[in-house]
Amino acid sequence: MDGQSMKKKDIHQNEVLCEPFRIKVIEKIQLPNIDQRIKILQKAFYSAFYIDSKDVYIDMLTDSGTGAMSDEQWAALMKGDEAYVRSRNFLDFETSVQEVTTYPYIIPTHQGRAAENILMELLVNPGDHLISNTFFDTTRAHVQNQKAIPLDLIVDDLWDFKTPKPFKGNFDLAKLQAALERYHENVPFILITILNNLACSSPVSMANIRAVRELANKYNKLVFFDACRFAENAYFIKTREPGYQDKSIQDIAHEIFSYGDGCYMSAKKDAIVNIGGFIALKDETLARRCQELLVLYEGFPTYGGLARRDLGAIAVGLHEGLDEAYLKFRTGQVAYLAELLEQEGITVSKPAGGSGVFVDVSSIYPHLSEDKFPGIALACDVYIEGGIRIAAIPFHLNCVDPGSGDLVKRNFEFARFASPRRVYTQSHLDYVANAMRRVKANATKNKGYRLTYAPEVLEHFFAKFEPL
Ligand SMILES: *Cc1c(COP(=O)(O)O)cnc(C)c1O
């Protein structure tokens, strides 16, 4: 047995990772040669966000809207009833979201941030303090757009890549208590991000969700979920939290949602579609007000900025996203790549989470200080070595002191190898790990980068760089 297959065996304790599906449509991908890759990267200002898709061999930039739809989803898409009002697909979509979330009032949006826009405009005032375990970047931008202050009350475990903790996405309850005590008059709601995407894509435990609900009740606050990856979170509760081993993923999801007043979701994640989203609420009055803004920004309440066929694909995808065999495979893929990278001497967040593998870039580029952009160095090197695209984003979080509730600014820097749903196979992951071996071996040759352009808002999408 050669070394590589030995490794695979060790990782799975004799269980080989096997896709719970067959492939019946394929898309050709091509690796530009090394000279071309060097030129492409230069033309792209050394930023993954300026590289053309055709020039990427393995695209691990994001798991958002990049999944492969099933035959059942394509069938639903083909049966689109494109009526403006109460089409068949809208009714299927509405039923599916109600079944999965238990919330009665369902409002379609074209994607997650459109839902954020509507909820924030309705509920947030200038100067408010918005509380979450960690705000996703568009969510944070929407809070700031309302001239409010986002507070990220994540546990300190997040910064410790090396120590395995099952629920690094949790709220720090002492910080939450301190923040509510100090700011409660200006907190419109608490947002629980499941799973906690930018916090190493770690899950939030049921115990933590329950405790957040109890604190929210004490201060009479609404609780909403940013539910993009609720199914992956439910799977991790099942596999990591005592007492849930024998419950179905759907039952666990129902319990999660029972602690909230509503949720919104980018269906581009766990509903495995290329576009779509929704708001789901318990309260009819709030739902009506959302629908009024929906008409202004998105479309009529029975399509919300989407083609009706897209609603049909979401209706099917939401249930497929809850399938345990699929979730086992998906989270197993992410864990598999994490193990391979770890075997190359790279520090990854443990245990692996949902959306992808989170890498501590300083374990590859210890010689590059933060101002030399080690994350950009990794993104560039992995593109040069393998035509692989990843994202490396420094995050600026607003934490609070658990004693006083004072604001404490903290950075969180990482690179993410995101895993598109049902798109890549085990050999693709082996290929990525091989490229990373070469990246690691040659890392000291990288002298870092200089920023040549950065806009004020959402700078990581538009920034440009040059090598030092
Ligand atoms: C993707 C994402 C969003 C925004 O959704 P879009 O569909 O990209 O607009 C919000 N929150 C989290 C946690 C996400 O991952």
Side-chain angles (χ1 to χ4, degrees):
M1 187 181 282
D2 63 284
Q4 194 60 32
S5 41
M6 222 10 236
K7 261 186 209 165
K8 281 179 205 167
K9 215 172 163 206
D10 288 344
I11 288 166
H12 294 286
Q13 288 143 0
N14 297 324
E15 196 186 350
V16 173
L17 189 67
C18 183
E19 286 75 7
F21 49 79
R22 293 190 286 230
I23 297 168
K24 67 172 134 190
V25 177
I26 57 114
E27 178 185 1
K28 186 175 174 179
I29 51 176
Q30 261 177 309
L31 179 64
N33 70 34
I34 181 72
D35 295 331
Q36 290 167 330
R37 298 204 291 277
I38 290 168
K39 282 204 194 93
I40 288 163
L41 197 57
Q42 183 184 16
K43 242 185 79 197
F45 314 104
Y46 301 92
S47 162
F49 293 96
Y50 290 99
I51 302 175
D52 294 345
S53 164
K54 72 167 173 45
D55 296 328
V56 176
Y57 193 47
I58 310 280
D59 202 343
M60 306 193 98
L61 185 83
T62 177
D63 64 324
S64 176
T66 52
M69 290 207 295
S70 67
D71 50 356
E72 298 288 349
Q73 285 178 294
W74 279 105
L77 209 81
M78 292 303 291
K79 291 196 280 184
D81 160 11
E82 297 299 333
Y84 199 92
V85 175
R86 296 188 68 74
S87 69
R88 202 172 50 239
N89 308 95
F90 171 73
L91 298 179
D92 289 347
F93 161 83
E94 188 182 44
T95 305
S96 180
V97 181
Q98 284 167 339
E99 281 168 359
V100 166
T101 66
T102 68
Y103 300 135
Y105 301 103
I106 312 303
I107 296 147
T109 61
H110 83 275
Q111 60 181 78
R113 70 200 65 187
E116 289 169 350
N117 187 34
I118 289 169
L119 278 175
M120 301 277 178
E121 181 167 331
L122 279 176
L123 298 173
V124 181
N125 291 308
D128 278 355
H129 287 76
L130 263 279
I131 289 177
S132 181
N133 39 353
T134 311
F135 286 96
F136 181 70
D137 54 1
T138 62
T139 325
R140 179 182 313 280
H142 274 295
V143 173
Q144 287 162 340
N145 194 37
Q146 300 298 331
K147 311 233 169 340
I149 301 150
L151 300 181
D152 308 280
L153 305 184
I154 179 82
V155 286
D156 289 335
D157 297 333
L158 173 65
W159 282 270
D160 183 1
F161 274 69
K162 280 199 169 132
T163 312
K165 290 272 172 70
F167 294 103
K168 289 184 182 178
N170 276 356
F171 273 86
D172 183 318
L173 296 171
K175 290 179 192 164
L176 177 60
Q177 167 75 46
L180 279 170
E181 189 52 39
R182 172 116 175 230
Y183 306 108
H184 63 93
E185 282 170 13
N186 299 308
V187 173
F189 60 85
I190 297 173
L191 185 69
I192 307 180
T193 309
I194 50 171
L195 42 80
N196 198 342
N197 184 19
L198 293 178
C200 294
S201 220
S202 298
V204 184
S205 72
M206 194 71 89
N208 196 252
I209 293 170
R210 209 177 293 128
V212 171
R213 177 79 249 184
E214 279 163 18
L215 273 171
N217 287 348
K218 201 168 135 198
Y219 291 89
N220 202 17
K221 298 296 169 199
L222 295 168
V223 172
F224 293 117
F225 291 100
D226 176 338
C228 295
R229 298 177 186 78
F230 75 98
E232 289 168 8
N233 201 108
Y235 181 78
F236 286 129
I237 287 176
K238 180 173 171 115
T239 51
R240 295 181 188 177
E241 190 164 352
Y244 289 92
Q245 278 62 27
D246 298 328
K247 296 216 156 75
S248 72
I249 304 297
Q250 178 64 86
D251 285 347
I252 296 170
H254 281 170
E255 184 181 341
I256 293 175
F257 287 124
S258 76
Y259 299 118
D261 298 285
C263 73
Y264 69 86
M265 178 171 175
S266 167
K268 298 164 73 177
K269 320 293 172 45
D270 276 1
I272 328 178
V273 290
N274 305 119
I275 194 71
F278 59 82
I279 303 171
L281 298 169
K282 272 185 183 164
D283 181 62
E284 185 174 3
T285 312
L286 181 58
R288 294 287 164 255
R289 290 173 66 205
C290 286
Q291 286 177 330
E292 287 161 19
L293 285 187
L294 191 79
V295 173
L296 208 61
Y297 295 141
E298 294 280 289
F300 194 72
T302 55
Y303 69 84
L306 292 163
R308 272 57 69 193
R309 52 179 171 267
D310 292 325
L311 295 172
I314 297 171
V316 176
L318 263 180
H319 286 293
E320 290 183 1
L322 286 165
D323 175 44
E324 200 171 323
Y326 152 74
L327 285 166
K328 181 176 183 211
F329 159 73
R330 167 160 179 74
T331 56
Q333 260 203 329
V334 174
Y336 176 74
L337 180 61
E339 289 283 349
L340 291 184
L341 296 189
E342 206 177 27
Q343 285 176 7
E344 302 303 337
I346 295 163
T347 304
V348 299
S349 177
K350 301 249 328 222
S355 68
V357 180
F358 283 65
V359 169
D360 177 1
V361 287
S362 69
S363 70
I364 308 171
Y365 302 94
H367 61 293
L368 296 182
S369 50
E370 245 176 69
D371 59 321
K372 291 190 175 150
F373 299 99
I376 298 301
L378 176 56
C380 289
D381 284 352
V382 77
Y383 180 73
I384 295 289
E385 285 298 342
I388 299 156
R389 170 153 62 184
I390 62 159
I393 306 173
F395 253 80
H396 312 292
L397 304 181
N398 288 332
C399 305
V400 301
D401 180 284
S404 61
D406 284 348
L407 244 123
V408 182
K409 291 202 179 284
R410 281 185 83 174
N411 285 349
F412 180 58
E413 172 132 26
F414 60 83
R416 180 180 68 170
F417 289 68
S419 177
R421 292 170 180 75
R422 306 190 291 208
V423 170
Y424 294 119
T425 63
Q426 190 167 328
S427 346
H428 289 117
L429 303 182
D430 290 339
Y431 173 89
V432 171
N434 258 318
M436 282 303 290
R437 179 177 309 148
R438 297 192 297 276
V439 168
K440 180 81 166 50
N442 297 320
T444 50
K445 292 188 196 142
N446 196 315
K447 299 284 174 278
Y449 292 80
R450 168 187 339 169
L451 193 67
T452 59
Y453 167 76
E456 251 173 53
V457 190
L458 294 173
E459 69 275 8
H460 54 265
F461 288 135
F462 304 111
K464 299 177 180 176
F465 301 89
E466 65 186 22
L468 287 168

